[in-house]
Amino acid sequence: MPEHLISIADLEEGQLESILELAQELDARPQAHRDALRGRSIGLYFEKSSTRTRVSFGAGMAQLGGQPIFLSSRDLQIGRGETIADTARVLSRYVNLIMLRTFEHRTVVEMAEHATVPVINGLTDELHPCQALADLMTVRQEFGGLRGRRIAYIGDGNNVAHSLMIACARAGVDFSIASPPGYEVAGKYLDLAGELAAGTGAGIETGTDPRAAAAGADAVYSDVWTSMGQEQEREQRLADFDGYTVDDDLMSRASDDAIYLHCLPCHRGEEVTASVVDGPRSRVFDQAENRMHTQKAVMLRLLDRA
């Protein structure tokens, strides 16, 4: 395992597969590792509000016998000007792991540079690796494997799209994304995914046509059109994303046994219709649960306890 988990690209292909295998074991046999992290603790730092990240990390650490400690900028001296570097050094004296959910990506990078314990990226404006692990686990559970599968992402080329694209490239999963002009994935992450895909044989396709992206896909994925911090852009985004709603017609263009994925929370009637997200193809709540299983696996692997 790498020293930290900042991006899925930090993981070798075998390490990614190992995390997913362990996550499924933790799901099937949760009692087998219930004391694995007894006496260990994780500091959970949040600049952004959270449901899934906060509860899944907290519950997951507790299920492994460890202690989660919830922190916000109001709780730490970061809010009064203490540097990230000093905070990293201090927290490393108290806890065994640090997880951050922040706005600027450089905050997580700087924390990892100065911490002496493993740092986990719980979300930044650029990447969301923990979500991508849960995404792949959900597809793996559904189809029994990943290679040869294809995931179609419909919508904004945001942090979720970046990490999912990188994860697919690393795992040998074909990935197609359709985004409105001006909302494409960042070039540096597209280039990175291309480099990883060259080693695994994954196909990476980008475009603007949702129906072309979804054609024959094993999983169709969407996310909110307006993420945290973009609220002032909401009306413009609603106009720009017109035609990018995942509805029953779009799902009909995917494979016959295709599933629907969403990182949640969702806005029914915007990026997805209620008939899809609440329908029989939806796996969004399995996907949400899998955040906990995959993060437990990450914590165990980073601390070499499984």
Side-chain angles (χ1 to χ4, degrees):
M1 281 291 291
E3 185 178 358
H4 309 288
L5 180 62
I6 308 302
S7 167
I8 295 294
D10 296 336
L11 301 171
E12 299 295 334
E13 185 178 355
Q15 293 171 335
L16 174 57
E17 181 67 17
S18 175
I19 288 172
L20 296 176
E21 287 181 357
L22 177 57
Q24 288 194 229
E25 177 190 338
L26 290 163
D27 180 18
R29 301 172 56 243
Q31 296 302 311
H33 297 274
R34 63 181 180 180
D35 295 319
L37 296 184
R38 184 172 298 279
R40 303 294 186 98
S41 60
I42 182 170
L44 303 171
Y45 174 65
F46 293 88
E47 289 181 358
K48 293 187 174 187
S49 59
S50 169
T51 298
R52 278 148 292 276
T53 299
R54 176 167 179 162
V55 179
S56 60
F57 264 109
M61 188 61 166
Q63 289 174 16
L64 294 172
Q67 175 67 47
I69 302 172
F70 298 105
L71 307 164
S72 74
S73 57
R74 295 184 301 276
D75 302 317
L76 299 182
Q77 296 294 338
I78 289 176
R80 298 181 62 245
E82 186 169 21
T83 66
I84 297 296
D86 285 353
T87 301
R89 295 183 182 104
V90 169
L91 290 180
S92 296
R93 302 294 183 102
Y94 300 147
V95 299
N96 305 102
L97 291 159
I98 300 170
M99 189 287 302
L100 294 86
R101 180 179 173 91
T102 71
F103 288 93
E104 295 188 18
H105 188 71
R106 67 178 179 83
T107 301
V108 172
V109 173
E110 188 174 354
M111 184 72 74
E113 288 174 347
H114 296 281
T116 56
V117 299
V119 171
I120 301 170
N121 178 1
L123 175 144
T124 70
D125 284 345
E126 295 187 20
L127 295 173
H128 198 354
C130 292
Q131 181 62 54
L133 290 173
D135 301 340
L136 291 189
M137 179 180 174
T138 307
V139 174
R140 196 174 189 267
Q141 284 177 320
E142 184 72 22
F143 298 106
L146 290 172
R147 285 213 171 250
R149 298 297 172 180
R150 187 161 74 83
I151 299 176
Y153 185 99
I154 312 299
D156 191 12
N158 59 12
N159 51 2
V160 172
H162 290 156
S163 284
L164 181 60
M165 177 175 63
I166 293 167
C168 286
R170 176 62 88 192
V173 176
D174 293 339
F175 177 84
S176 58
I177 180 170
S179 305
Y183 294 93
E184 300 90 348
V185 291
K188 65 178 180 179
Y189 292 120
L190 182 59
D191 292 342
L192 174 58
E195 293 171 7
L196 297 176
T200 63
I204 306 294
E205 298 180 356
T206 64
T208 60
D209 185 346
R211 287 158 181 77
D218 298 293
V220 178
Y221 198 124
S222 63
D223 189 11
V224 295
W225 294 340
T226 305
S227 298
M228 282 180 285
Q230 299 172 336
E231 289 78 10
Q232 73 281 2
E233 304 172 18
R234 175 171 168 76
E235 293 306 315
Q236 183 63 54
R237 284 174 169 266
L238 287 176
D240 292 343
F241 283 88
D242 183 39
Y244 284 80
T245 300
V246 177
D247 56 17
D248 292 305
D249 177 67
L250 189 71
M251 288 298 298
S252 73
R253 298 171 186 271
S255 67
D256 291 342
D257 57 352
I259 59 174
Y260 173 73
L261 301 175
H262 193 300
C263 58
L264 300 181
C266 72
H267 294 158
R268 291 168 176 82
E270 291 185 13
E271 74 274 6
V272 62
T273 60
S275 61
V276 171
V277 73
D278 298 321
R281 291 188 172 198
S282 178
R283 298 294 182 274
V284 300
F285 297 110
D286 293 333
Q287 187 184 1
E289 178 184 336
N290 287 339
R291 285 287 303 278
M292 182 174 67
H293 303 312
T294 50
Q295 289 161 186
K296 287 167 68 175
V298 166
M299 291 188 288
L300 287 167
R301 289 285 187 246
L302 286 175
L303 293 176
D304 294 323
R305 297 303 298 270

